[in-house]
Amino acid sequence: MSSLSQHKAFILLLTLVSIAFVWLLLPFYGAVLWAVILAILFQPMHRRLVIRLKGRNNWAALISVMACVFIVILPMSLIFGALVREGASVYQRVGSGDIDFNQYMQQFQGSLPVSVQSWLGDAGFGSLSDISNRLASALEQGSRLIATHMLSIGQNTLQFLVSAGIMLYLLFFLFRDGRSLGQLIRTTIPLSDEYTYKLIEKFTAVVRSTVKGNVIIAIVQGAIGGVAFWALGIEAALLWGVMMAFLSLLPAIGSAIVWVPVAAYLLLSGAYVKGVILVFVGVVVIGLVDNFLRPPLVGKETKLPDYVVLISTVGGMTLMGINGFVLGPLIAALFIVVWSLFRQEQQQEAEMSSRESVANEANEAMPESRGRGTSVDG
C-alpha cells in the first residue's frame, strides 16, 4: 500500500473515531460544556491558588472545585429547588381554579373604553370577548406548560446528580491539567499558530463575556423584577422573576417581554399606582442596570452586533435549550472569525500575486533597457 493510501486510510480512521467519541459524549455534553465554562471563568483564581500553594496543583484544583460549588452550583441548586416548588404550586392552583385567567381577562375587558372595544372589532380582531378568551386560554396553557416542565425537571434528580458528578470530576482535571491540555490542543489543531491563537482567544472571550456578564446582569434584573412583582402582590413572583432573568439574556427586548404586559394590565384594569410603579422599575431600575453593568462586564470582547447576538441566542436556545445561550453566540463568533481569517488569507494571496506580477514585469523590462543602453553607447 502506498504512503498516500495509508495517509487517507488514517485520516478516515481518525474521523470515524472522533465522531464515535463525540457520540459517546452527547448524553452528557451539557456537563462537559459547563465544566469547560467554569474552568475558563475560575482560571485566574486557580492560578493565584497555585502560586500561593507553591505549585501543589492537586490541592489548588480541589479548592477551586469547592469554590465553584459554593459560589455557583449550591446557590443555583437552592434557587432551582424554590423554582420547582413555585411551579408545582402554580400547577395546582391553575388546576383547582384558584388562578382563573378568564376572570383576569374579564376585568381587563371591563376596564377598556367602549371606543377601544369597537375599534378592535372594526380592525378585524373580532369581539373583545373572543380576544379575551383566546388570550386567557393561551396564558393558561403557557402556565401549565411552564409548571409541568419545572416538575419534570425536578423529578429527574438522578440524572442531575450524575451530570453534576461528571461535571465536577472533569472540572478537577481541567483545573489541574488545564495548561498542558491547552498546549496539546494548540499543537494538535492542523492550523497555523496565528489562526489557532485567534480562534482560542475568541472562544475564551465569548465564554467569559456571555457567562460572566450576561448571567450576572440576568440575575440582577430577574431579582429586581421578582421583588417588584412580590411587593405589588402579583402571583408567582419567583416564577416570573426567573422568567425575566432567563429572557434578560436576549439583548434589546429581554425582561420587558414579561413586565410590559403585566404593567399594561395593571394600568388598564384601574391599578394605576401599581402600574406606574412597575413601569418605573422596568424602565428606570432594570434599564439602568443593563446600561451600567453590561459595558464593564461584557465590554467589547465579543465584538458581535446586537442583532447577531439576539438571533444566535434565540436560535441556540431553541435548538439546545439553556446551553444554547452560550453555544449560540459562540458559534456565531467563531463563524465570523473563520470567515474574517479566510478573507484575510484571500487578501494576502492577492497582494502576493500582484507583487509577483510587478516583479515579473520589472524583470522583463530589464533586458530591454539594457539593450537600448548598449545601442546608445555604440
Side-chain angles (χ1 to χ4, degrees):
M1 183 181 292
S2 63
S3 60
L4 181 60
S5 300
Q6 290 182 0
H7 179 71
K8 290 182 178 179
F10 178 73
I11 293 298
L12 178 61
L13 177 63
L14 180 64
T15 303
L16 293 176
V17 171
S18 301
I19 293 174
F21 181 71
V22 172
W23 178 66
L24 288 176
L25 295 180
L26 280 179
F28 300 101
Y29 88 95
V32 176
L33 172 66
W34 286 101
V36 174
I37 290 173
L38 290 176
I40 292 174
L41 293 178
F42 286 86
Q43 191 63 34
M45 182 199 72
H46 174 70
R47 290 176 180 173
R48 289 193 293 268
L49 282 174
V50 172
I51 295 174
R52 287 181 176 272
L53 295 175
K54 298 179 180 180
R56 296 187 180 94
N57 288 325
N58 288 327
W59 281 105
L62 181 61
I63 295 174
S64 299
V65 171
M66 296 304 297
C68 293
V69 170
F70 286 103
I71 295 175
V72 178
I73 299 175
L74 185 59
M76 293 301 297
S77 300
L78 295 175
I79 295 174
F80 184 74
L83 181 62
V84 170
R85 291 192 297 270
E86 187 80 10
S89 176
V90 171
Y91 182 79
Q92 293 175 356
R93 296 182 66 183
V94 170
S96 63
D98 292 340
I99 298 178
D100 190 358
F101 290 104
N102 285 315
Q103 180 181 359
Y104 297 152
M105 296 307 299
Q106 288 175 3
Q107 295 176 358
F108 173 73
Q109 177 181 352
S111 64
L112 289 178
V114 179
S115 59
V116 176
Q117 300 183 25
S118 60
W119 177 82
L120 290 174
D122 296 336
F125 293 100
S127 63
L128 190 59
S129 59
D130 295 337
I131 299 174
S132 300
N133 291 331
R134 288 196 295 267
L135 289 176
S137 177
L139 289 173
E140 184 174 354
Q141 292 176 3
S143 63
R144 286 181 182 272
L145 179 63
I146 294 173
T148 305
H149 189 63
M150 293 300 173
L151 284 174
S152 64
I153 294 176
Q155 292 171 355
N156 295 329
T157 307
L158 179 60
Q159 183 179 1
F160 172 77
L161 292 177
V162 172
S163 299
I166 292 175
M167 182 186 69
L168 294 176
Y169 183 77
L170 179 60
L171 183 61
F172 174 83
F173 290 100
L174 288 177
F175 279 133
R176 194 189 71 174
D177 306 325
R179 188 180 295 274
S180 59
L181 287 174
Q183 184 64 30
L184 178 63
I185 292 173
R186 285 192 293 269
T187 55
T188 305
I189 294 177
L191 295 174
S192 64
D193 293 339
E194 179 186 1
Y195 287 5
T196 304
Y197 175 77
K198 288 184 178 181
L199 289 174
I200 294 177
E201 183 185 23
K202 178 59 68 173
F203 177 86
T204 306
V206 172
V207 169
R208 285 177 177 170
S209 62
T210 302
V211 178
K212 179 188 69 176
N214 292 336
V215 168
I216 292 176
I217 293 170
I219 291 173
V220 173
Q221 290 184 345
I224 294 173
V227 170
F229 274 41
W230 171 78
L232 296 174
I234 299 172
E235 297 284 347
L238 177 62
L239 183 61
W240 294 119
V242 173
M243 288 297 296
M244 280 188 279
F246 185 73
L247 293 171
S248 296
L249 300 173
L250 303 177
I253 47 178
S255 60
I257 298 175
V258 176
W259 67 261
V260 167
V262 176
Y265 170 78
L266 292 174
L267 292 172
L268 294 174
S269 61
Y272 300 112
V273 176
K274 292 184 178 180
V276 170
I277 291 174
L278 186 56
V279 170
F280 175 81
V281 171
V283 174
V284 178
V285 182
I286 295 179
L288 288 178
V289 165
D290 187 78
N291 293 332
F292 279 106
L293 291 183
R294 192 172 295 276
L297 291 178
V298 179
K300 302 296 183 182
E301 288 181 311
T302 58
K303 297 181 181 179
L304 292 176
D306 288 341
Y307 61 88
V308 174
V309 176
L310 176 61
I311 295 173
S312 60
T313 303
V314 174
M317 293 170 68
T318 302
L319 294 175
M320 295 168 280
I322 187 63
N323 298 325
F325 92 91
V326 177
L327 292 177
L330 177 61
I331 293 172
L334 293 179
F335 172 82
I336 294 176
V337 170
V338 169
W339 277 99
S340 64
L341 291 175
F342 177 75
R343 184 182 62 181
Q344 177 182 344
E345 190 176 82
Q346 294 294 104
Q347 292 176 350
Q348 291 176 354
E349 291 180 356
E351 291 176 358
M352 290 179 61
S353 61
S354 63
R355 291 174 183 173
E356 290 177 356
S357 62
V358 171
N360 292 332
E361 291 177 358
N363 292 331
E364 292 176 356
M366 287 178 63
E368 297 180 357
S369 62
R370 290 175 181 173
R372 287 194 298 267
T374 304
S375 61
V376 171
D377 293 338

